[in-house]
Amino acid sequence: MPSPREQVLDLVKVLVGLCLPNLHVCVTSRPEIDIRDALEPLTSLRVSLHDQTGQRKDIIEYVSSVVYSDTKMRRWREEDKRLVVETLSERADGM
């Protein structure tokens, strides 16, 4: 019995194998070996978001916007706000 992950990967293979001219498939996932091994032969374009500086910047901007706009957090000391932003950004590991 194939796992749900295997079923999805098989479905993607079938869709790509149809070679329909107006079908475009975008798949996102974590960079796990079995997923990468299944998808790499199917790709015409691959973009990796791991270890990208833009990703870290987006996380910092999002966390900062929450910390500085939340009514309760706005009362925090500036050093505490910075600590939250820095800690969450560093430990997010791109997620």
Side-chain angles (χ1 to χ4, degrees):
M1 186 73 161
S3 70
R5 178 187 286 187
E6 291 169 326
Q7 290 176 342
V8 169
L9 291 171
D10 288 342
L11 174 63
V12 171
K13 289 177 190 176
V14 168
L15 289 173
V16 170
L18 293 174
C19 298
L20 299 172
N22 294 319
L23 175 67
H24 303 276
V25 179
C26 177
V27 178
T28 63
S29 75
R30 296 182 305 266
E32 296 187 10
I33 293 171
D34 62 326
I35 296 172
R36 189 173 51 224
D37 288 347
L39 296 179
E40 275 185 351
L42 307 175
T43 61
S44 59
L45 176 63
R46 180 173 175 229
V47 177
S48 177
L49 296 179
H50 287 297
D51 302 323
Q52 297 290 324
T53 56
Q55 188 174 343
R56 184 168 171 11
K57 181 178 173 269
D58 289 345
I59 292 169
I60 291 170
E61 287 176 5
Y62 174 75
V63 173
S64 295
S65 71
V66 171
V67 167
Y68 287 95
S69 65
D70 183 270
T71 54
K72 291 180 183 177
M73 290 184 202
R74 274 192 277 188
R75 293 184 235 150
W76 292 3
R77 297 178 308 170
E78 187 61 34
E79 63 190 57
D80 293 335
K81 292 178 198 176
R82 276 195 306 270
L83 179 62
V84 167
V85 171
E86 289 171 12
T87 302
L88 290 177
S89 302
E90 289 171 7
R91 296 190 180 171
D93 195 27
M95 300 292 172

